[in-house]
Amino acid sequence: MIYKTESLNLDFENICSITGDALCIADKDLNVQAFNKHYADLVKLKPDQLLGINALVYYPEFEKSVFFECLIHTVKTGQPNIAVGFKAVA
């Protein structure tokens, strides 16, 4: 099952159909726009509790993560910054 806002112009169902991973798409303010069942199961919330909610509400520790630092850099600059806090893997 796929949950998404009406304004999301992405074929999220196709992406979800090829992975068993938990997937979530949020807007620039970290409000959840789409997710799959695996993601809802991971965060232990019902679909109606997730759609449109800010991710920091149910995952406040995210602000302290290296990934969050990279995400905020990308949102602010429009440029990815995947090197921050990560080591290259050969």
Side-chain angles (χ1 to χ4, degrees):
M1 186 67 153
I2 308 304
Y3 309 93
K4 61 184 177 181
T5 60
E6 293 297 319
S7 63
L8 188 65
N9 293 325
L10 176 68
D11 194 357
F12 195 59
E13 290 186 44
N14 283 342
I15 294 168
C16 290
S17 70
I18 60 173
T19 184
D21 295 329
L23 299 174
C24 176
I25 295 176
D27 64 15
K28 65 179 181 67
D29 297 317
L30 298 180
N31 297 314
V32 175
Q33 299 298 303
F35 60 93
N36 64 359
K37 182 180 182 319
H38 300 297
Y39 186 80
D41 292 345
L42 177 71
V43 298
K44 298 180 172 93
L45 290 173
K46 295 178 183 176
D48 62 340
Q49 295 173 303
L50 275 172
L51 203 56
I53 192 170
N54 188 280
L56 296 176
V57 168
Y58 61 86
Y59 186 35
E61 306 85 30
F62 183 54
E63 272 188 299
K64 298 174 185 157
S65 71
V66 172
F67 181 75
F68 183 78
E69 181 182 337
C70 293
L71 176 66
I72 294 305
H73 170 82
T74 301
V75 168
K76 287 181 179 178
T77 67
Q79 299 296 315
N81 189 8
I82 60 172
V84 174
F86 295 97
K87 295 181 181 177
V89 178

